[in-house]
Amino acid sequence: MTVTEETKATHVFPVTQVTESRRNAVNFQDLRFGDVFSDHMFELVYKNGKWDNGQIIPYGPVSIMPSANILHYGQGAFEGMKAFTMENGAINVFRLRDHYKRFNDSCKRLNIPSIPEEVFTQAILQLVDLDRQWVPKDKFKSLYLRPFVFATEEFLGLKTSTAYRFYVITGPVGNYYREGINPVKLTTMPDYVRAVKGGVGNAKVPGNYAASLYPAHVAMKEGYSQVLWLDAIERKYVEEVGAMNIFFVIDGKVVTSPLTGTILPGVTRRSVLELCQIWNLPAEERMLSIDELFDAWREGRLTEAFGSGTAAVISPVGVIHHKGETLTLDTEKMGPVAERLYKAITGIHHGTEADPSAWCTVI
Ligand code: COI
């Protein structure tokens, strides 16, 4: 049975339209990730204790003062979401509520005033509806949505800002990785850590990503696409990959790290676990040490590794390097579990598979 939430994108925010669309200059056959932006963006302002003045305006530069808090202390948060063209021509925004909830949690952790859910939802739906011609029609492509908030108060003392701005920008995207859906190579970086318990590792905030860039640069120079982060205390337990959560298939069971406060509670991670439950495929959220992972591989019990994320969807992992040792899985293609998940999730995105729990908001 298909359970789909039908929502009308009521147009509550004023719109200033572009005089000429940039869409015709975009090659929708050759989309990468994150380098093309749609005609319009949403803007909302927080001052005098309230969020107000929501409007849709042409995509373009944002002006802030050089003393704005975000530029110095990084008080900001963001989300990554997607909209898809369905087989019947309708457009759907995937797991809108779940993304709102995580965004709200990230804001809370950074002491940023909460944006009401109905404002967030309306902003996204009205913006996607206005720029619906920008949502790619092909399967496996999508309109990436990037809601983000940042502190704008002009003040160099370290304190919570009293002024903020919230934007939503969008852009058509293809695969996140250069490798497409071919397996990627990961390496651990035991000299660096991503997050500690009580920190901000479970919030979607710029600093987590900024701090990963130097280790990622070193990893890339050594031929790896991304870093496989280990826990910060024992530098032993597998956590996540920064741009995605990580899953393994060991002894036929799907295994992923638990949400102990140091990894991002991925929305696609959740979709994977929910699908495993629907399919009666054993899945475990448990601590997994890098040694156990390598032992399972040596014994032939580790059969697949893959990442999950909004941008990455399901991305197979072919190689994992750790302290001079390299574990190699299928380096040519996705394993059967990853492929089943990829087909199911992209099928739900595009309306060719049943939507199990009203994940799609159709506009
Ligand atoms: C996403 O998957 O939406 C993210 O925000 C990850 C980012 C590195 C592209």
Side-chain angles (χ1 to χ4, degrees):
M1 184 181 59
T2 301
V3 187
T4 297
E5 220 176 277
E6 291 265 357
T7 306
K8 282 276 160 280
T10 45
H11 291 198
V12 295
F13 297 112
V15 177
T16 307
Q17 293 230 26
V18 291
T19 45
E20 197 180 345
S21 174
R22 289 174 284 101
R23 189 184 170 280
N24 287 340
V26 176
N27 180 359
F28 277 72
Q29 298 317 306
D30 182 27
L31 292 171
R32 288 179 293 266
F33 179 87
D35 57 356
V36 174
F37 300 96
S38 320
D39 284 331
H40 299 93
M41 63 186 186
F42 176 81
E43 181 188 66
L44 185 71
V45 177
Y46 183 88
K47 63 175 187 213
N48 302 327
K50 67 176 178 31
W51 286 106
D52 208 355
N53 294 325
Q55 58 171 334
I56 292 178
I57 53 181
Y59 172 84
V62 165
S63 160
I64 56 172
M65 286 303 192
S67 50
N69 172 312
I70 182 68
L71 298 177
H72 305 271
Y73 307 122
Q75 198 192 1
F78 69 100
E79 261 310 308
M81 311 169 55
K82 279 180 174 171
F84 301 87
T85 302
M86 302 176 86
E87 199 182 36
N88 63 6
I91 285 170
N92 101 72
V93 178
F94 195 64
R95 302 205 73 155
L96 180 52
R97 279 212 91 179
D98 297 298
H99 283 285
Y100 170 74
K101 281 188 191 143
R102 186 174 65 181
F103 181 69
N104 201 38
D105 289 345
S106 301
C107 288
K108 205 178 270 177
R109 179 62 183 84
L110 278 258
N111 212 23
I112 296 169
S114 178
I115 294 172
E117 183 169 0
E118 60 281 11
V119 173
F120 182 94
T121 303
Q122 268 311 321
I124 302 262
L125 296 180
Q126 190 177 338
L127 183 65
V128 173
D129 196 24
L130 178 67
D131 277 342
R132 59 194 299 138
Q133 294 306 325
W134 285 85
V135 186
K137 303 217 176 345
D138 302 2
K139 208 169 174 188
F140 311 126
K141 291 183 180 143
S142 57
L143 188 75
Y144 188 73
L145 318 178
R146 173 52 64 86
F148 60 106
V149 62
F150 53 87
T152 53
E153 185 178 343
E154 298 178 63
F155 184 65
L156 288 184
L158 178 59
K159 69 165 189 80
T160 295
S161 179
T162 57
Y164 300 85
R165 271 188 263 153
F166 170 69
Y167 289 87
V168 185
I169 57 173
T170 74
V173 297
N175 289 319
Y176 181 69
Y177 288 109
R178 202 165 24 88
E179 293 87 338
I181 53 164
N182 294 324
V184 296
K185 293 180 175 179
L186 308 179
T187 182
T188 59
M189 278 276 165
D191 289 345
Y192 300 95
V193 297
R194 179 185 171 276
V196 287
K197 272 187 194 153
V200 291
N202 58 353
K204 204 159 172 69
V205 298
N208 286 335
Y209 295 80
S212 74
L213 294 177
Y214 178 71
H217 162 76
V218 176
M220 274 182 184
K221 277 214 298 205
E222 291 170 8
Y224 302 99
S225 312
Q226 299 255 304
V227 175
L228 175 62
W229 293 107
L230 300 180
D231 77 282
I233 306 297
E234 296 185 65
R235 313 231 172 157
K236 176 174 164 186
Y237 294 101
V238 169
E239 296 217 316
E240 64 151 274
V241 183
M244 53 189 193
N245 294 112
I246 188 83
F247 285 85
F248 303 97
V249 181
I250 303 175
D251 295 324
K253 281 189 195 146
V254 174
V255 179
T256 195
S257 327
L259 299 179
T260 53
T262 53
I263 73 168
L264 193 77
V267 174
T268 311
R269 175 187 180 279
R270 192 159 156 187
S271 303
V272 167
L273 291 171
E274 289 173 16
L275 284 172
C276 288
Q277 196 172 25
I278 293 170
W279 295 339
N280 286 324
L281 189 64
E284 294 176 340
E285 295 177 78
R286 68 169 175 91
M287 308 286 275
L288 174 70
S289 74
I290 191 80
D291 294 338
E292 180 187 343
L293 187 69
F294 272 71
D295 284 346
W297 171 70
R298 277 186 219 98
E299 291 158 16
R301 295 184 295 108
L302 171 69
T303 47
E304 284 183 59
F306 58 91
S308 70
T310 296
V313 193
I314 298 292
S315 290
V317 173
V319 168
I320 299 176
H321 171 266
H322 175 64
K323 290 188 175 169
E325 221 187 329
T326 301
L327 158 177
T328 306
L329 295 159
D330 193 335
T331 54
E332 300 290 316
K333 58 178 187 338
M334 280 195 187
V337 175
E339 192 179 5
R340 185 176 181 197
L341 286 159
Y342 181 75
K343 284 194 172 147
I345 292 172
T346 54
I348 297 167
H349 287 159
H350 294 284
T352 56
E353 292 270 342
D355 174 1
S357 309
W359 288 348
C360 300
T361 301
V362 175
I363 52 174

